[in-house]
Amino acid sequence: MFLTAFRRRALALLTAGAVAATLAACAGETSPEKTVTVLTHDSFTLPQNLIDDFRAETGITVSFVKSGDAGQLSSVVSLSAGKPKGDAVFGIDNTFAARPIEAGALEPYLSPLAAEGAARFAVPESKNELTAVDRGDVCINVDGAWYDRENIPEPTGLDDLRDPRYRNQAVLLDPATSSPGMSFLLATIGTYKDKAPDYWRALIDNGAQVVSGWEVGYNQLFSAGEGHGSKPIVVSYASSPAATPGTSALLSGCFAQIEYIGILRGASNTAGAKKVIDWMLGPAVQRALPTSMFVYPVQEGTPLPQDWKRRAPAPEYRVTMSPKYINENREAWLKEWRDTVRR
């Protein structure tokens, strides 16, 4: 969640009043036909000036309503197909994308701006029900400063996490409750194939700790996180080191997480929702994504912050799977994970 993802840290660093101000404006000044309600995950944030500029240019106020993580968001949308709680949805990622599409909860729309990059990340075999906005590669992060202090070489790949030298050092995220946790599970399945359960078992036997979500894993237990915990290895994003000096991402064994926006079937303001999608693909929003949500933009030619090439390079290879394939196998994989971890 991309949240569902490291975006929680970005949210903590930015002004929480941005969305609240927008909601107030919607309630007090804007007629319903001039409002577009967008359901989002809890980690969504954009600079308020961009939201204000969009309103000035179009007369449309965007009301962002947070609805849990990517999985919860997908469930809310899927269960309310045809009777939506808003006009659009942002933040369903490729690990959950098939669910609302198969539920018939989304209205097809192909933005004219999608050809500038977003189309490369379209959901395979779909009818443009979802449009890619950003991507955030889920990778193992390590605290290099911790390893320097302990005079231990840093792990360099997924295989190293089974090494006794790294016993009791890793924090994993439960794939049943965490979007990046699910992405890491998929990365291991793509890397180890039918041997993935053996890999999970080896991690647990080597003392890896499993927690409910990114906030606990990164901000509380990770040694470089806000809580200065004791664990120097954690599941996060390739872009996380841009915000956390002294850390790096293991750029092998990452999963390509993509976040989408779509129009909800039965929306009261479909025309306005289309304009919001075009806006999210426009240069102003795309340029803001790296610093507001610590994700990579999808539109080609969008500049990244100067230090990202050094501190947050994108992986050259990522594990990828179609949303349909993920949806068909999710429950079986989760059961196998639970059986392995709880044995």
Side-chain angles (χ1 to χ4, degrees), residues 21-246:
T22 302
L23 291 169
C26 293
E29 303 175 15
T30 307
S31 60
E33 64 271 16
K34 288 296 185 180
T35 299
V36 173
T37 300
V38 181
L39 308 184
T40 73
H41 54 58
D42 288 344
S43 300
F44 174 82
T45 186
L46 276 178
Q48 183 64 37
N49 67 294
L50 295 185
I51 300 169
D52 293 340
D53 289 347
F54 178 72
R55 183 181 182 185
E57 293 168 5
T58 65
I60 296 171
T61 295
V62 187
S63 168
F64 294 107
V65 178
K66 296 185 177 181
S67 304
D69 63 15
Q72 293 170 311
L73 186 61
S74 174
S75 295
V76 167
V77 168
S78 300
L79 293 173
S80 59
K83 298 180 180 179
K85 301 179 182 297
D87 300 298
V89 57
F90 169 80
I92 292 175
D93 65 28
N94 50 323
T95 68
F96 290 102
R99 184 180 295 173
I101 291 175
E102 292 179 2
L106 301 165
E107 197 73 42
Y109 173 62
L110 179 61
S111 169
L113 298 180
E116 298 175 15
R120 294 178 300 159
F121 304 98
V123 177
E125 302 176 357
S126 70
K127 298 178 181 178
N128 299 308
E129 293 95 338
L130 290 169
T131 300
V133 172
D134 65 70
R135 63 181 183 83
D137 303 312
V138 174
C139 309
I140 289 290
N141 279 215
V142 300
D143 180 4
W146 187 95
Y147 286 101
D148 286 343
R149 291 195 301 270
E150 298 294 325
N151 197 27
I152 301 172
E154 299 177 26
T156 59
L158 295 183
D159 284 348
D160 288 346
L161 304 191
R162 298 181 288 192
D163 191 313
R165 287 184 298 177
Y166 305 109
R167 184 170 181 78
N168 299 326
Q169 296 175 21
V171 180
L172 308 180
L173 311 181
D174 189 340
T177 57
S178 166
S179 177
M182 185 67 197
S183 291
F184 178 70
L185 189 79
L186 297 175
T188 63
I189 291 169
T191 300
Y192 296 103
K193 307 298 190 293
D194 59 346
K195 299 296 184 183
D198 295 335
Y199 178 74
W200 307 335
R201 186 172 297 108
L203 295 186
I204 299 303
D205 289 345
N206 205 34
Q209 182 176 353
V210 181
V211 298
S212 59
W214 184 90
E215 183 69 31
V216 175
Y218 199 98
N219 278 339
Q220 297 182 29
L221 299 179
F222 186 41
S223 55
E226 293 176 357
H228 303 290
S230 62
K231 307 290 186 178
I233 302 171
V234 69
V235 174
S236 195
Y237 293 84
S239 55
S240 301
T244 311

